[in-house]
Amino acid sequence: MRQLVITSGKGGTGKTTVAACFVALSWRSVCADADVDAPNLHLLLHPKVLEEREFRGAKTAVKNEELCARCGKCEEHCRFQAIRGLALDPFRCEGCGVCVHVCPSGAMRLEEVVTGRTMISRTRYGPFAHALLNIGAEASGKLVTEVRRRAEGLGQSESLVIIDGAPGIGCPVIASVTGTDLALIVAEPSVSGLHDLARVLGVARHFQVEALACINKHDLCPELSEEIAAFCSRENVELAGKIPFDPGLVEAVRRSAPVEALLETRAGRAIEEIWEVVKARLLPPKSFCRGG
Ligand code: SF4
Ligand code: SF4
């Protein structure tokens, strides 16, 4: 099983559109939306949800008032000020377990809390694992790991897993990128886009994942596109292609049109050319590419 992650240094660069097009262009692939904070891939793939599960990704302290001897040790040792006047504030609790450890009466315990839900769906392109993090919930990296685990369970040894990765450089990005065979970084032609590209490339390299880059809407700022291309050249990162700004693609995405309609646009054809480059890196291509 090979794994490809499409990622970016920040949200809104077009990585989900690229991921959706790759899913439609591939064969026998499994897709996963690892952007659990703001998942959007389902809006393009129109999945039918087959199974939904609660995800318990964190713990919180719970107090048994009947056992509490009111000694104050838990409040004294809690570093997150989650206990005040011996009252527990669940919004401040980090689930570290120190209060459980210091309580002489056994009045404190940790309980798992639901931090999101995972879904297995069917799309016209193949199976799809995705999730939704609860508002304000932590542990999004754990939820990404769970989505990837479930996606792997949907494939076969010759399958390709296409992951719409989380953006940025934090925990969910690390959970999206680690252990994949290839990362495609989608960059924008802006000063911040170049900066973000460098940062997410650092994440991929740190975790020894080979990375390619592509530039979305490259013609909106040819000078910065050139700078990004020069950066990629200096860093020995293959520039897999450039996608033009295309109102046709924007309109198709806005209408939530089928991915085939996205691929018929000028930008869609550029994405298809990038897929050919990516495909060549993910040998052997015949096993998971339509038409070989
Ligand atoms: S689990 Fe940790 S953060 Fe939560 S109340 Fe206990 S000591 Fe404080
Ligand atoms: S440490 Fe245990 S017994 Fe002491 S105040 Fe906290 S919950 Fe109560």
Side-chain angles (χ1 to χ4, degrees), residues 62-65 67-76 83 86 99-100 102-108:
V62 175
K63 185 161 98 166
N64 183 333
E65 294 290 353
L67 294 179
C68 176
R70 305 190 66 78
C71 68
K73 281 192 176 170
C74 52
E75 183 165 344
E76 183 190 329
I83 303 170
L86 298 186
C99 54
V100 178
V102 300
C103 176
S105 310
M108 284 290 200

Side-chain angles (χ1 to χ4, degrees), residues 60-61 74 77-83 88 92-100 108 110:
T60 193
C74 52
H77 286 87
C78 177
R79 300 188 64 175
F80 300 98
Q81 286 80 49
I83 303 170
L88 195 57
R92 285 177 170 265
C93 178
E94 294 283 332
C96 68
V98 164
C99 54
V100 178
M108 284 290 200
L110 287 180

